[in-house]
């Protein structure tokens, strides 16, 4: 397939999301569409997939002008897309999900889908180990994505669009996805990979198109491009100094002691986790998702009552079985999935910024003061739009993440628990958030930082502890030399350290 | 219908407001209904208006019907502020009537000035305890509060029936199942020489106070957070259980107050079916008002007037009074239609 986009444009309100884009994609090549959040990458591809209609522009497929008004049209033209938001149905099994998505399945299938055999081949080809009769809700995020990918492949597309597929994956899963993508290209498919990670580009793209503010600002062969140039093209002339953590003095005193902590959450647990975090230290928690990270974070922030052990901050036990001191001001918590865990979506930004300290407000709060406080914070943390009266649920994912960071990172907490704090943020916003996080560490906070991005952990943390099946498999200084060891611990090979 | 037409209609409707649009839809639906049962719609609507607000007596009866509905609507709106859906106002109404009646009966035959306040307080407590049953089941055992309040309604109603047929039956009333008549000391003061009693003023005052508390205070914000996202409330260290129990208790107290006020001041004795659906009408009013305490006031008056007009319909137009239940139903359908139409998402 040869696809040509010419002068594509789309406006949302006052915002020109896609501003006259020309783009070519050919069969057998992987095009990385690179850019920050809000650069227009997803919108451009949604115009192509018929989710939105363009205000102007022309789509040409194999020399024929093609009109795409709906995803159905797109599929008929041989275009498949995997969205950032999964559309699998968690309550159904993998087999049922695939059967229901398959074109040959009649609408009256109902529970017959349990025994269906149609539409299973793509998943069996790309990931034979995913159990067909497991409920999707029991799969890891990486596996869900493979099911999602298999659904797109059912249509036998000639052009496959993947929207930020690596954002939610762990190291091994990302590598596997890269090789799958290369495989598609070898079979003659055209692949568009939307991403803001340079690693994706170097690993599997043939060509790169960089978008900024709705325009394609550069295109070229992937191997010719210099990483620093690409970065500059992406973000423009803004300062992008890499955030860094200050070296930790050898005699830094322990500030936080997570002592022998055991806790249970839904479908997940931690067992005897014992960690000390020094004053000013950034301790990274690595591990494959689903090994107790969420429980550890909740227990350390006092949200989940532990079965045993305690969290000791500055010598005082804050959280223990049947004991829970208020965390406001002392423990900052950025949980994963802020929209689910940290934000009241139909309430104002001003109120959401005071969510953790409602009990410190006067009995009859002064709304104007709340809003003034909020406006300052919104500006400082670059939440857009900085409108304190707006409902939080109307913010985009990246801005929600910034909103939670603004609330939690503003003071001088003794302990910061940050769970995937940059998920969904673009480069500039991630850099800003890291700056804030590490500035707190430098000012004396102890930081517990949970991430699946091992590169980021290795780059910024002081030490890395690996969580495997709810236990700490080991702790090492954050150094590239320990990468192998960490990888082995993550997959449960505890004895690999000797090798 | 094209998007443009909807937009234009929406723009036209904006200044009129939802209430006017809903009222128009309601009149049309009611007219169709009257036509279907073979009556002249205009004449019938005239009769309804006459019977609801035609003279001071009609207005008084409308206010009498509105009073318990107002309190029961508040009793529904409060739990809804933390996202609890209680349909238990009817049962709490009965529980309040029972508790208050118990106080009155225990103080006979020498009623003093303490009877009225004691009766009102125990009535409110009765409703509170009844509501807390469902509240504790919810916070302790995760029992769905909608189901438990619905079911305990029947228990409370049957408890009243048992009491008035059995232990509390007035021996002098022959076959009629009811308690003895309450003394004058148990009556709330009447307003403007009618059957309307001070409970109406209490209800309106409570609605205003609740509105201020829910929208202006820190506690109101806490409830908003717990309703919007209980999980975020938990992460923020807010206590869902405690606040859920508080709103359930307060809501129950309001419905209990409605129950004992109706018993003492309108009926003058406890008897079966005394709530007459006020709890459920209250639920519907709270829903129409979207749990907004100030909006509950006019809507209660409207629904009360509609129900009161049933008697007039029966007398002047020779239709069964159950027609008013159909009309009440049509009112809700009209509001549903208008809300659904105005709120429907624009096509992408």
């Amino acid at each position: 397939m040869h696809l040509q986009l010419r002068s594509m444009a789309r406006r949302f309100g006052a915002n020109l999301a896609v501003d006259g884009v020309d783009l070519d994609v050919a069969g057998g090549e992987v095009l990385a569409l690179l850019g920050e959040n809000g650069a227009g990458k997803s919108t451009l591809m949604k115009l192509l997939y018929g989710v939105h209609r363009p205000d102007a522009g022309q789509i040409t497929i194999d020399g024929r002008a093609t009109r795409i008004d709906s995803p159905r049209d797109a599929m008929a033209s041989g275009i498949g897309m995997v969205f950032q938001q999964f559309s699998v149905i968690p309550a159904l099994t993998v087999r049922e999900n695939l059967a229901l998505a398959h074109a040959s399945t009649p609408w009256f299938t109902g529970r017959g889908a349990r025994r269906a055999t149609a539409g299973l081949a793509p998943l069996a080809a790309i990931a034979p180990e995913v159990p067909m009769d497991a409920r999707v809700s029991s799969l890891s995020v990486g596996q869900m994505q493979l099911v999602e990918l298999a659904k797109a492949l059912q249509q036998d597309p000639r052009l496959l669009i993947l929207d930020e597929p690596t954002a939610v994956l762990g190291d091994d899963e990302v590598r596997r996805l890269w090789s799958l993508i290369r495989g598609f290209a070898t079979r003659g498919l055209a692949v568009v990979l939307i991403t803001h990670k340079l690693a994706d580009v170097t690993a599997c793209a043939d060509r790169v198109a960089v978008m900024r503010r709705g325009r394609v600002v550069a295109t070229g062969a992937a191997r010719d491009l210099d990483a620093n140039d690409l970065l500059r093209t992406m973000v423009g002339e803004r300062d992008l100094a890499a955030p860094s953590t200050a070296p930790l003095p050898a005699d830094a005193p322990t500030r936080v002691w997570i002592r022998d902590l055991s806790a249970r959450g839904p479908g997940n647990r931690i067992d005897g986790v014992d960690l000390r975090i020094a004053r000013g230290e950034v301790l990274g928690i690595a591990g494959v998702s689903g090994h107790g990270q969420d429980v550890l974070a909740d227990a350390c922030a006092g949200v989940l009552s532990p079965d045993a052990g305690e969290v000791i901050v500055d010598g005082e036990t804050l959280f223990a079985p049947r004991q829970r001191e208020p965390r406001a001001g002392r423990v900052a918590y950025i949980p994963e999935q802020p929209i689910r865990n940290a934000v009241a979506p139909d309430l104002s930004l001003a109120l959401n910024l005071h969510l953790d300290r409602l009990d410190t407000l006067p009995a009859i709060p002064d709304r104007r003061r709340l809003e003034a406080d909020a406006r300052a914070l919104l500006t400082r943390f670059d939440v857009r739009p900085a409108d304190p009266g707006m409902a939080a649920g109307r913010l985009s994912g990246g801005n929600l993440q910034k909103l939670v960071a603004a609330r939690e990172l503003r003071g001088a907490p003794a302990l910061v628990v940050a769970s995937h704090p940059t998920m969904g943020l673009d480069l500039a916003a991630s850099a800003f958030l890291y700056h804030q996080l590490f500035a707190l560490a430098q000012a004396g906070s102890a930081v517990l930082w949970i991430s699946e991005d091992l590169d980021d952990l290795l780059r910024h943390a002081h030490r890395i502890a690996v969580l495997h099946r709810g236990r700490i498999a080991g702790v090492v200084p954050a150094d590239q030399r320990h990468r192998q060891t960490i990888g082995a611990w993550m997959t449960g090979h505890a004895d690999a350290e000797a090798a | 219908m094209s998007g443009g037409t909807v937009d234009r209609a929406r723009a036209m409707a904006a200044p009129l407001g939802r209430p006017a649009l809903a009222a128009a839809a309601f009149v049309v639906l009611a007219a169709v209904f009257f036509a279907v049962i073979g009556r002249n719609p205009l004449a019938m609507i005239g009769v309804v208006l006459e019977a609801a607000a035609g003279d001071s007596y009609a207005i008084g009866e409308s206010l009498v019907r509105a009073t318990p509905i107002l309190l029961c609507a508040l009793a529904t709106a409060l739990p809804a502020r933390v996202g609890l859906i209680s349909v238990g106002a009817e049962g709490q109404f009965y529980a309040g009537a029972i508790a208050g009646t118990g106080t009155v009966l225990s103080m006979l035959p020498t009623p003093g000035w303490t009877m009225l306040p004691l009766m009102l307080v125990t009535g409110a407590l009765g409703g509170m305890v009844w509501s807390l049953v469902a509240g504790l089941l919810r916070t302790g055992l995760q029992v769905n509060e909608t189901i438990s309040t619905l079911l305990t309604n029947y228990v409370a109603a049957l408890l009243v029936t048992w009491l008035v047929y059995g232990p509390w039956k007035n021996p002098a009333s022959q076959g009629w199942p009811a308690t003895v008549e309450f003394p004058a000391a148990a009556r709330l003061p009447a307003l403007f020489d009618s059957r309307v009693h001070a409970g109406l003023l209490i209800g309106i005052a409570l609605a205003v106070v609740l509105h201020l508390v829910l929208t202006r205070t820190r506690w109101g914000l806490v409830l908003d957070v717990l309703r919007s996202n209980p999980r975020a409330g938990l992460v923020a260290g807010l206590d869902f259980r405690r606040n859920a129990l508080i709103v359930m208790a307060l809501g129950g107290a309001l419905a209990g107050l409605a129950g004992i006020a109706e018993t003492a001041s309108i009926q003058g004795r406890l008897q079966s079916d005394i709530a007459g659906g006020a709890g459920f009408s209250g639920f519907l009013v709270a829903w129409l008002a979207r749990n907004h305490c100030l909006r509950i006031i006019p809507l209660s008056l409207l629904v009360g007037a509609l129900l009161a007009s049933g008697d007039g319909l029966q007398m002047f137009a020779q239709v069964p009074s159950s027609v008013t239940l159909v009309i009440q139903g049509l009112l809700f359908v009209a509001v549903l239609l208008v809300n659904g139409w105005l709120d429907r998402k624009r096509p992408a």
Side-chain angles (χ1 to χ4, degrees):
Chain A
M1 130 136 33
H2 185 84
L3 172 86
Q4 289 181 309
L5 300 178
R6 289 292 174 267
S7 318
M8 300 292 285
R10 169 73 200 220
R11 175 185 290 278
F12 291 109
N15 176 24
L16 203 53
V18 173
D19 184 7
V21 169
D22 295 349
L23 199 65
D24 289 78
V25 194
E29 77 167 359
V30 178
L31 171 75
L33 196 53
L34 196 66
E36 292 189 278
N37 296 140
K41 318 180 292 285
S42 293
T43 309
L44 178 65
M45 286 301 119
K46 284 177 180 168
L47 295 180
L48 175 57
Y49 195 62
V51 178
H52 303 306
R53 288 191 206 166
D55 298 330
Q58 193 175 33
I59 301 170
T60 311
I61 296 176
D62 292 335
R64 259 193 326 235
T66 309
R67 192 182 154 86
I68 296 178
D69 283 338
S70 68
R72 198 176 283 258
D73 290 354
M75 285 181 220
S77 309
I79 301 171
M81 181 159 178
V82 177
F83 292 89
Q84 256 179 305
Q85 300 285 333
F86 293 160
S87 61
V88 281
I89 303 163
L92 298 184
T93 64
V94 173
R95 182 190 302 274
E96 288 167 331
N97 266 286
L98 292 174
L100 291 174
H102 194 252
S104 75
T105 306
W107 58 267
F108 50 79
T109 294
R111 300 305 290 174
R114 263 180 296 183
R115 294 177 301 278
T117 50
L120 306 185
L123 184 64
I126 61 173
E129 84 286 359
V130 175
M132 284 291 173
D133 293 304
R135 277 181 203 282
V136 165
S137 56
S138 70
L139 301 184
S140 71
V141 177
Q143 288 177 318
M144 277 188 215
Q145 191 181 50
L146 290 168
V147 176
E148 201 72 54
L149 184 57
K151 270 170 60 183
L153 291 174
Q154 282 179 346
Q155 329 281 349
D156 208 9
R158 290 178 299 146
L159 168 70
L160 187 63
I161 305 166
L162 305 171
D163 194 355
E164 305 257 6
T166 57
V168 291
L169 300 183
D171 250 15
D172 288 348
E173 293 168 320
V174 167
R175 262 192 291 277
R176 169 191 195 147
L177 186 70
W178 285 338
S179 76
L180 280 175
I181 291 173
R182 288 307 326 164
F184 296 149
T186 313
R187 277 172 30 210
L189 261 76
V191 181
V192 177
L193 175 65
I194 302 176
T195 184
H196 59 241
K197 290 188 185 168
L198 291 178
D200 290 343
V201 179
T202 39
C204 70
D206 298 303
R207 283 197 311 128
V208 195
V210 183
M211 285 190 75
R212 193 168 85 224
R213 293 188 189 168
R215 294 170 165 274
V216 170
V217 290
T219 50
R223 70 171 63 92
D224 298 343
L225 290 164
D226 173 70
N228 286 326
D229 286 347
L230 267 185
L231 253 176
R232 215 163 301 126
T233 324
M234 248 167 91
V235 302
E237 293 309 310
R238 273 173 294 155
D239 176 33
L240 248 199
S244 62
T245 34
L248 196 65
D251 59 346
T254 297
R255 182 135 200 216
V256 171
W257 184 10
I258 298 160
R259 199 183 69 79
D260 212 13
L261 199 65
S262 298
R264 270 168 305 175
N268 222 331
R269 60 182 301 163
I270 54 167
D271 204 354
V273 169
D274 201 287
L275 295 166
R276 288 164 195 258
I277 313 176
R279 195 184 152 77
E281 184 181 23
V282 177
L283 175 66
I285 302 286
V288 179
S289 72
H291 279 255
Q293 287 93 332
D294 47 347
V295 177
L296 177 65
D298 271 2
C300 288
V303 173
L304 189 68
S305 177
D307 296 331
E310 54 194 326
V311 178
I312 305 168
V313 173
D314 292 333
E316 184 194 350
T317 300
L318 287 191
F319 314 124
R322 286 177 302 282
Q323 184 189 353
R324 179 185 176 183
E325 307 299 329
R327 74 173 172 87
R330 286 193 284 188
V331 179
Y333 184 25
I334 303 180
E336 55 180 6
Q337 301 184 49
I339 186 74
R340 213 170 72 88
N341 295 318
V343 169
D346 49 347
L347 303 183
S348 68
L349 299 189
L351 185 53
N352 271 290
L353 285 170
H354 291 85
L355 212 58
D356 60 330
R357 56 201 70 199
L358 282 180
D359 49 353
T360 65
L361 297 179
I364 299 178
D366 178 354
R367 263 162 206 254
R368 250 169 301 169
R369 242 191 80 191
L370 291 191
E371 297 206 341
D373 281 2
R375 196 167 284 124
L377 269 178
L378 293 173
T379 313
R380 189 176 135 206
F381 280 82
D382 191 32
V383 180
R384 284 181 231 176
D387 172 7
M390 195 178 86
R394 292 181 51 207
L395 290 181
S396 71
N399 280 299
L400 269 174
Q401 192 82 18
K402 287 192 252 177
L403 178 77
V404 175
R407 178 177 78 214
E408 300 293 335
L409 302 184
R410 68 174 132 176
L415 168 64
V416 181
V417 180
S419 201
H420 311 291
T422 59
M423 190 171 267
L425 293 185
D426 59 47
L427 273 171
S430 296
F432 176 75
L433 194 126
Y434 283 148
H435 269 304
Q436 299 289 329
L437 202 59
F438 304 148
L440 279 181
Q442 203 150 2
S445 299
V447 177
L448 183 75
W449 171 26
I450 297 171
S451 175
E452 278 168 41
D453 190 331
L454 195 51
D455 289 314
D456 268 10
L457 287 176
L458 284 167
R459 204 172 302 136
H460 301 306
H462 293 111
R463 287 184 304 150
I464 295 178
V466 177
L467 202 56
H468 180 73
R469 295 199 174 164
R471 291 173 176 278
I472 296 297
V475 187
V476 285
D479 189 315
Q480 283 294 346
R481 282 171 301 169
H482 297 299
R483 201 184 176 101
Q484 293 271 322
T485 313
I486 293 171
W489 281 340
M490 281 167 66
T491 49
H493 297 90
D495 50 350
E497 195 178 10
Chain B
M1 185 184 298
S2 77
T5 320
V6 173
D7 282 350
R8 221 171 305 132
R10 197 183 277 126
M12 273 165 55
L16 293 170
R18 279 166 197 254
L21 214 55
F26 169 56
V27 169
V28 170
L29 285 176
V32 169
F33 169 69
F34 287 131
V36 165
I37 64 170
R39 297 305 187 99
N40 178 348
L42 278 180
M44 291 298 281
I45 288 169
V47 171
V48 169
L49 288 177
E50 182 75 18
D55 54 29
S56 61
Y57 173 79
I59 293 175
E61 285 309 294
S62 294
L63 294 178
V64 166
R65 295 298 287 266
T67 304
I69 295 174
L70 168 59
L71 285 166
C72 287
L74 294 175
T76 307
L78 253 177
R81 297 299 291 216
V82 291
L84 295 177
I85 300 170
S86 161
V87 290
E90 189 96 353
Q92 295 148 16
F93 182 106
Y94 282 121
I98 293 171
T101 303
T103 305
V104 170
L105 294 181
S106 71
M107 291 176 80
L108 290 176
T110 51
W113 67 270
T114 52
M115 180 179 262
L116 181 63
L118 273 178
M119 177 194 81
L120 292 178
V121 168
T122 47
L125 282 175
M128 185 184 284
V129 168
W130 205 254
S131 177
L132 277 176
V133 172
L136 287 168
L137 282 172
R138 167 63 205 248
T139 55
L141 299 170
Q142 301 296 317
V143 175
N144 180 302
E145 76 282 358
T146 312
I147 304 299
S148 64
T149 49
L150 184 67
L151 294 180
T152 48
N153 281 345
Y154 295 105
V155 179
L158 291 169
L159 206 55
V160 170
T161 305
W162 173 69
L163 284 169
V164 299
Y165 273 94
W168 285 359
K169 187 176 172 194
N170 177 6
S173 76
Q174 309 289 319
W176 185 248
T179 62
V180 295
E181 195 169 343
F182 284 16
R187 279 174 199 262
L188 283 161
L191 307 177
F192 355 93
D193 194 26
S194 69
R195 295 209 300 153
V196 185
H197 57 82
L200 178 65
L201 297 184
I202 297 177
I204 291 175
L206 283 173
V208 174
V209 169
L210 276 176
H211 173 72
L212 292 176
V213 167
L214 292 174
T215 56
R216 294 277 187 272
T217 66
R218 180 182 65 212
W219 185 57
L221 296 182
V222 169
L223 299 185
D224 285 343
V225 172
L226 289 172
R227 178 186 67 244
S228 174
N229 186 349
R231 165 82 191 156
L234 177 72
V235 171
L238 305 179
D239 189 338
F240 175 81
R241 291 181 184 191
R242 197 180 71 191
N243 286 294
L245 287 177
I246 292 175
V247 289
M248 285 298 279
L250 287 179
L254 293 170
L257 192 62
I260 190 55
E262 177 81 6
T263 307
S265 301
I266 302 296
Q267 312 286 342
R269 54 174 71 80
L270 182 65
Q271 47 195 341
S272 293
D273 294 328
I274 199 168
F280 295 117
S281 293
F283 177 85
L284 293 171
V285 164
W287 178 83
L288 285 185
R290 298 182 178 196
N291 304 312
H292 188 289
C293 292
L294 289 185
R295 277 186 230 143
I296 281 175
I297 300 172
L299 284 166
S300 307
L301 297 178
L302 179 65
V303 171
L306 258 184
L307 294 176
S309 71
D311 303 331
L313 277 176
Q314 201 167 13
M315 271 186 284
F316 306 127
Q318 283 84 46
V319 295
S321 66
S322 58
V323 162
T324 47
L325 289 179
V326 177
I327 308 257
Q328 184 186 316
L330 290 178
L331 171 65
F332 295 115
V333 171
V335 175
L336 263 175
L337 280 175
V338 168
N339 281 345
W341 186 57
L342 291 181
D343 292 344
R344 77 177 191 166
K345 290 206 172 115
R346 289 150 167 266

